[in-house]
Amino acid sequence: MRKRQGPLADVRIVEMEAIGPVPLAAMILADMGADVVRLVRPGHQAMGGAVLSRSRTTVEVDLKTPEGREAALALIAQADALIEGYRPGVMERLGLGPDQVRADNSRLVFGRMTGWGQTGPLASLAGHDINYISLTGALHAIGRAGSPPLPPLNLVGDYGGGAMFLISGLLAGIIRARETGKGDVVDVAMTEGTLTLLSMFHAFIADNQWQDRREANLLDGGAHFYRCYECADGKHVAVGCLEPQFYAACLAGLGLDPATHPQYPASRWPEMAEAFARCFRGKTRDQWAELFAGTDACITPVLSFEEAPNHDHNLSRRSYADVDGVAQAAPAPRFSDAPTSVRAARLSTVENVLESWSRRNATQCAS
């Protein structure tokens, strides 16, 4: 039996089949070395395919049958944590709610991932990333002025406000459970995770440094030195020269006079943005990338999904992994004792998993 590597090598997690943030959180935890067993319906094709299923074991279990429920309970009884993303009450109806499973495993950390949270008037209703972030102010702030807000993929609610807070909450619960022997229920709501991500903007608002409209502020495209510009070939560059010295490096590369192209006041941002736009239309994206290479101007090419794996920096750090011809992120963050290669997903049975866990228990006790 191959010894698991990584900082979570002695952590066992049961992942209930779900979409959105749950499989991403489970993938990241498994990449860190956790032994994650994913329970799915028989014959069901997991969302995210091989990429979001990687680094862990998948077991087919019909939770609506007594046999399936007993199999799930057997795994959960040996686990450090469980993560699920059903609507409130579903796990309880399956006989797998927190009170039911923690009766046999008091140290279990039960991670619950939903958009609205376990309580409140919206708790039982459906929703998706765009809905969750719409109630936080985040969606209202993203996009062009005078146009409807633009959804930022599903990165803010599902993955930033959801998966990342599920991971941190789960790990905090496991640390405490190992100290006290008592587990916990972690209620992760994407709305509340998103609100926490917005903390800096709440500070801006409190200091009267933020206008509640799009393209009027420092970080929403209002500032000419923090936005994207079109180039001669129709591609784009990202400009992020917030600090004065970086802004000076940007002006030098563009050939613009600092005396006539000030960074402030904000009242001149629209005028400066037009000047920047004229400059950037004079060269192709890659010409600008070459011109600013090695400088602190904070100007980078805007790459497509297809282009990004071939960028020199990503290649040098091996930031991508190639599995069966599919480019995907290599495990992150990196640890000195953990491999950066991707482990493929595999199918197994409850019996095989329990046998493997028993062998590992015996090995740990012997050592």
Side-chain angles (χ1 to χ4, degrees), residues 146-167:
S147 299
L150 290 174
L153 304 182
N154 66 329
L155 298 177
V156 175
D158 274 2
Y159 295 147
M164 298 303 116
F165 283 83
L166 177 58
I167 292 169

Side-chain angles (χ1 to χ4, degrees), residues 99-147:
D99 293 339
Q100 295 155 309
V101 300
R102 291 174 66 215
D104 294 326
N105 185 355
S106 61
R107 62 185 175 81
L108 183 78
V109 179
F110 198 112
R112 316 201 79 167
M113 179 75 261
T114 61
W116 309 115
Q118 295 295 311
T119 61
L122 298 179
S124 64
L125 300 182
H128 284 291
D129 183 290
I130 192 171
N131 307 117
Y132 307 138
I133 69 173
S134 74
L135 295 194
T136 68
L139 184 60
H140 178 269
I142 299 171
R144 302 300 304 270
S147 299

